[in-house]
Amino acid sequence: MPPEEDEGADIVVRLDEVLAARGITLTELAARVGITVVNLSVLKNGRARAIRFSTLAALCRELGCRPGDLIDYAPAADRT
């Protein structure tokens, strides 16, 4: 499959794990960061195609984490 058809498939979003560890709801985080719950849900479920650095920085600030705690690279071949 050409890279443009599988764009982002190897990126794993761990936002749900970080939220659970911090005891913060998606709704609470969305309000703190200033983005909609829908957009945050798209990110959490791995359906986002892009994220602004300013949004990533705000998420890290509010969750007390680093970008690598929220997103990871895991090739599909390694996950099967």
Side-chain angles (χ1 to χ4, degrees):
M1 174 179 301
E4 60 274 4
E5 290 181 29
D6 195 30
E7 200 171 293
D10 295 337
I11 300 299
V12 177
V13 179
R14 302 193 188 287
L15 181 57
D16 54 345
E17 296 167 23
V18 176
L19 285 170
R22 304 291 191 283
I24 299 173
T25 67
L26 200 64
T27 303
E28 182 181 352
L29 182 61
R32 287 177 167 188
V33 174
I35 61 176
T36 67
V37 175
V38 172
N39 284 339
L40 198 52
S41 181
V42 167
L43 176 63
K44 181 179 88 76
N45 293 318
R47 294 189 318 266
R49 289 286 161 213
I51 183 170
R52 293 175 190 228
F53 283 165
S54 59
T55 301
L56 184 58
L59 291 170
C60 289
R61 181 190 68 236
E62 293 301 325
L63 293 169
C65 67
R66 300 178 62 92
D69 297 328
L70 296 175
I71 56 176
D72 196 8
Y73 174 74
D78 293 349
R79 290 182 275 149
T80 57

